[in-house]
Amino acid sequence: MLHSRSRFVRADRCFGLGLLVVLLPLMVLPERECAAQSREIVFTDVAKAVGLEFQHYSPLTPERHLHLFMGSGLGWLDHDLDGWPDLYCCQGAAWPARPETSLARSNQLFRNRQGQFENVTSVCGLKNFEYSMGVAVGDFDNDGFPDLYVSSFGPDSLYRNHGDGTWSEVIGQPVLNDERFSASCTWTDIDGDGDLDLYVTNYLKLDRANYPLCSSVEGGKRIPGGCHPHYQPHEHDLLIRNEGDGTFSDISKAAGLLAETPRAGLGVVAGDFDEDGDQDFYVANDTVNNQLWMNSGQGTFTDEAVTMGVAVNGLGVAGAGMGLAAGDVDGDGLTDLFVTNYFNETNTLYRNDRVAFTDVSAEFGLAAPSRQRLGFGTSLLDANHDGWLDLFIANGHVQSYPPELDRRAPFAQLQQLFLNQQGVRFQEASAKAGPYFLKPVVGRSSAVADFNRDGRADLAVLHLNGPVALLRNEFAGPARSLSLRLIGRAGNRDAIGARVELRIGDRKLVRFCQGSQGYLSTDERLVRFGLGEASQVDAVTVRWPSGKQETWGELSAGQMPAGQTRTLWEGTGVAN
């Protein structure tokens, strides 16, 4: 049953000289804030201009083998710790599989040299010719350098970063080379031992030797297409425990993940959704109920998706869940959840009402604009630095219908940008967000980073069988923002699972240090706050994964150059 709570209705538009009309109470918005909100947000694709030349490769067969339509992911990481985020792009592969040696057919790592990119895949030792799906970035050995887990349609791989520019695959542990059809994956510490563990979603059980093929007859013509996932056998997800000594164990059964029937998992995000101090998992499943695996703190998980209101949408219907985003979109300090779904469905925004979640997709203006889109990747970012999380959605179909059928379900689709109107509604801004948003593409994965260190949140977007896009944020308003790099000592070094609260006067902003989210992707591991016109941050409070809580006071945002990042070490703040 979905629960709801009453709220005051708050309007979100600027009128005339800055009057903000609400029902209760009546408030006046300063002119300068109204002017700032009216500035348009524009993104420009600069991938080629900065040397980021990656072409996704997934040649579609006449039979339309299903996995070839799913696309691949990308992840931001600072692989050499020079302070500039590098980009790892997963690559597809032909089917049937054939031997490949060309760098263009491999996953690729692009090193960021002060805003310009260089392909360093070969010298780093990161060639991978599987059909790669997702990427999770995490420092599994706590040596200070980010490592990579890559899921695949085929054997998965874990790569260790040696810190000298080279990488190597961790071998000799079968659990790390699971050969099921895996998708999104994420690192987090599930047992509080300071070592990052790994959750991997698994999708369909496809027999490679007897690959299921389907077709339909429309307009008197037989149309090949991928077999509907609802009628294919599904797979259980995989939970891997980091033993802290370089070895890993499959604890999926012991943790309770096999207690239910398998689901077709595509997206996963970790977070403390019930605020009890440990990490839970929310999983987006294709055509069947989503799952909310709640951590008991004793090594086991229970699916509470039905009781917490996030198994299905507000109409009681399961969607074709693909991508996930988690963050505080309404400013109440709690983690809300957003799921992308299929064409002729709607994407779903679940508001965290503490005791349960409520489907507020229509209320927040996200339902109708998504009905004629098929959403995959999704990212939360503060595009205009007003302190509210905005929303990007990468769209693209999984069927390419012949034009004569007039199905009005285009394969290539327009991408979408929604601006957060002070936590009560989203307003679509796609039409004015730049030329990229006016050209249909087959969007798949998206990930956020400030690649040029100008203080603005940028986006990388991977397209099926197309070039990667790097969307530079060119918002003309104040670029004042605060990015925090958290380094854990008592808990995992990446501080994945930390909760960060920033106070500016009477206003409190909450962000979370997360592993992976979106669809097959990982954002840059910085906790970023848009500050608007504020020139000073009164305090930053971090609740670390270890359970410790510390506060840092009076950070002068007005004196910080655009893009500056502050590093907070666990144990150096004021304990509280």
Side-chain angles (χ1 to χ4, degrees):
M1 177 179 180
L2 297 177
H3 298 262
S4 63
R5 63 180 178 187
S6 62
R7 291 186 166 191
F8 291 131
V9 178
R10 295 171 292 176
D12 48 54
R13 298 180 183 271
C14 296
F15 298 93
L17 296 178
L19 183 64
L20 177 64
V21 181
V22 297
L23 295 184
L24 183 69
L26 188 66
M27 300 171 60
V28 176
L29 188 67
E31 280 189 52
R32 63 180 182 179
E33 186 173 344
C34 186
Q37 289 186 1
S38 68
R39 293 189 178 100
E40 292 179 0
I41 299 170
V42 175
F43 286 86
T44 300
D45 183 3
V46 297
K48 286 188 177 180
V50 299
L52 187 61
E53 298 192 45
F54 175 83
Q55 172 77 28
H56 186 250
Y57 176 73
S58 182
L60 305 181
T61 60
E63 300 83 7
R64 296 298 195 261
H65 289 83
L66 178 61
H67 79 278
L68 298 173
F69 287 86
M70 303 308 293
S72 303
L74 34 72
W76 290 101
L77 69 159
D78 186 359
H79 100 106
D80 50 6
L81 301 189
D82 66 351
W84 294 81
D86 311 302
L87 185 63
Y88 184 84
C89 298
C90 292
Q91 184 60 286
W95 183 261
R98 57 175 179 253
E100 296 280 6
T101 58
S102 169
L103 176 62
R105 298 292 180 257
S106 168
N107 297 354
Q108 296 171 46
L109 175 64
F110 292 86
R111 184 187 178 193
N112 185 346
R113 294 177 177 266
Q114 300 185 356
Q116 295 289 319
F117 289 85
E118 175 189 8
N119 193 327
V120 295
T121 310
S122 296
V123 297
C124 288
L126 278 173
K127 286 187 178 179
N128 183 327
F129 296 102
E130 299 292 338
Y131 195 109
S132 295
M133 294 288 291
V135 55
V137 179
D139 183 6
F140 79 84
D141 51 6
N142 286 319
D143 66 351
F145 291 89
D147 307 300
L148 290 170
Y149 185 86
V150 180
S151 62
S152 303
F153 178 67
D156 300 339
S157 300
L158 173 62
Y159 294 98
R160 175 185 280 115
N161 185 346
H162 295 297
D164 60 359
T166 65
W167 297 66
S168 63
E169 184 174 0
V170 178
I171 60 176
Q173 300 186 56
V175 67
L176 299 176
N177 304 120
D178 192 272
E179 295 195 17
R180 287 175 287 181
F181 187 0
S182 53
S184 296
C185 43
T186 190
W187 294 100
T188 196
D189 183 3
I190 62 171
D191 48 15
D193 64 355
D195 299 310
L196 290 177
D197 311 297
L198 187 66
Y199 190 108
V200 184
T201 61
N202 286 312
Y203 189 41
L204 304 179
K205 186 179 292 185
L206 294 180
D207 184 349
R208 292 165 176 77
N210 188 26
Y211 201 117
L213 299 173
C214 298
S215 63
S216 60
V217 176
E218 298 188 46
K221 184 176 182 179
R222 182 165 294 279
I223 307 298
C227 297
H228 196 288
H230 187 77
Y231 304 106
Q232 301 302 307
H234 299 167
E235 291 274 21
H236 281 108
D237 293 342
L238 177 64
L239 185 59
I240 302 173
R241 183 172 62 204
N242 183 347
E243 302 295 350
D245 59 0
T247 64
F248 294 83
S249 302
D250 180 357
I251 61 169
S252 309
K253 183 176 182 179
L257 268 61
L258 308 190
E260 297 187 355
T261 57
R263 314 280 175 90
L266 284 175
V268 62
V269 64
D272 185 6
F273 303 122
D274 55 0
E275 297 194 302
D276 65 349
D278 50 36
Q279 291 287 288
D280 314 303
F281 296 102
Y282 183 55
V283 181
N285 294 310
D286 193 357
T287 73
V288 292
N289 285 10
N290 298 330
Q291 293 162 302
L292 183 62
W293 292 106
M294 304 304 290
N295 192 338
S296 68
Q298 304 297 319
T300 59
F301 290 79
T302 304
D303 180 14
E304 300 289 348
V306 172
T307 57
M308 294 294 286
V310 293
V312 295
N313 64 22
L315 298 176
V317 179
M322 265 81 73
L324 286 175
D328 179 16
V329 302
D330 58 355
D332 64 358
L334 303 175
T335 308
D336 308 299
L337 295 166
F338 178 76
V339 187
T340 58
N341 291 306
Y342 203 73
F343 197 85
N344 274 336
E345 298 177 350
T346 65
N347 297 333
T348 310
L349 175 63
Y350 297 101
R351 185 182 62 204
N352 189 337
D353 289 335
R354 199 175 296 276
V355 296
F357 290 78
T358 303
D359 179 353
V360 293
S361 311
E363 175 185 338
F364 273 66
L366 294 172
S370 65
R371 187 170 291 279
Q372 296 300 299
R373 301 284 194 277
L374 196 161
F376 272 92
T378 183
S379 299
L380 286 170
L381 70 161
D382 187 352
N384 56 358
H385 310 106
D386 64 354
W388 297 97
L389 290 174
D390 307 307
L391 183 65
F392 171 83
I393 304 171
N395 299 305
H397 216 292
V398 294
Q399 297 281 5
S400 52
Y401 297 105
E404 61 268 21
L405 292 183
D406 193 26
R407 286 293 299 270
R408 301 184 186 276
F411 190 40
Q413 300 182 4
L414 297 178
Q415 314 303 279
Q416 292 174 296
L417 177 69
F418 293 87
L419 301 184
N420 191 330
Q421 306 297 295
Q422 300 184 1
V424 296
R425 189 171 177 82
F426 283 91
Q427 179 178 344
E428 186 167 4
S430 312
K432 296 183 178 181
Y436 173 81
F437 289 88
L438 302 178
K439 180 181 178 180
V441 294
V442 186
R444 287 299 182 259
S445 178
S446 65
V448 180
D450 177 11
F451 85 91
N452 57 354
R453 291 298 185 244
D454 67 352
R456 299 173 176 87
D458 311 302
L459 278 162
V461 187
L462 192 142
H463 307 135
L464 181 72
N465 281 323
V468 70
L470 180 59
L471 304 183
R472 183 176 64 199
N473 187 341
E474 298 178 350
F475 175 59
R480 194 165 290 149
S481 62
L482 175 62
S483 295
L484 299 176
R485 177 179 292 110
L486 306 182
I487 300 181
R489 285 173 166 169
N492 71 86
R493 184 181 172 88
D494 277 347
I496 294 176
R499 179 185 187 273
V500 186
E501 181 180 292
L502 181 146
R503 183 165 57 84
I504 306 175
D506 295 332
R507 188 177 181 189
K508 293 181 180 179
L509 308 180
V510 173
R511 301 288 183 266
F512 304 91
C513 185
Q514 295 169 310
S516 307
Q517 60 174 325
Y519 174 70
L520 312 175
S521 61
T522 301
D523 296 337
E524 180 183 10
R525 183 135 310 118
L526 290 178
V527 181
R528 183 176 289 108
F529 294 88
L531 304 178
E533 300 285 350
S535 61
Q536 179 172 303
V537 173
D538 296 317
V540 173
T541 299
V542 178
R543 187 178 68 203
W544 298 91
S546 64
K548 296 180 180 179
Q549 183 165 297
E550 298 176 283
T551 296
W552 288 259
E554 296 187 3
L555 299 176
S556 180
Q559 297 177 3
M560 292 190 297
Q564 179 170 327
T565 299
R566 297 290 181 90
T567 300
L568 302 183
W569 291 77
E570 184 177 9
T572 63
V574 177
N576 49 41

